[in-house]
Amino acid sequence: MARKELQRLTGNGGGNCNNDDCPNVYRTSSGSIVVQGDVSDVFQPPAGEGLVEIPESILREAVRALGW
């Protein structure tokens, strides 16, 4: 799936993000959530999964965008 196929829920307000390289939350056409952030190594997830770390403010922005 290409990034352009995702609905971006966060990071649209400017800030110091360049070229979409900041932590963000996206929604897919099927309604699932994709999170972009710094890779975390706090524990080893199961095969095929990964951990990312994003600021709480990004999650709050995503919740507002979704109207939850």
Side-chain angles (χ1 to χ4, degrees), residues 20-67:
D20 297 324
D21 63 350
C22 292
N24 280 296
V25 176
Y26 302 87
R27 183 167 46 182
T28 68
S29 60
S30 66
S32 62
I33 302 295
V34 174
V35 179
Q36 173 187 352
D38 295 326
V39 175
S40 175
D41 61 359
V42 295
F43 67 88
Q44 184 63 44
E49 295 183 5
L51 302 174
V52 298
E53 188 173 338
I54 62 171
E56 180 181 329
S57 61
I58 299 296
L59 289 177
R60 289 181 183 276
E61 185 179 352
V63 167
R64 281 193 299 275
L66 290 166

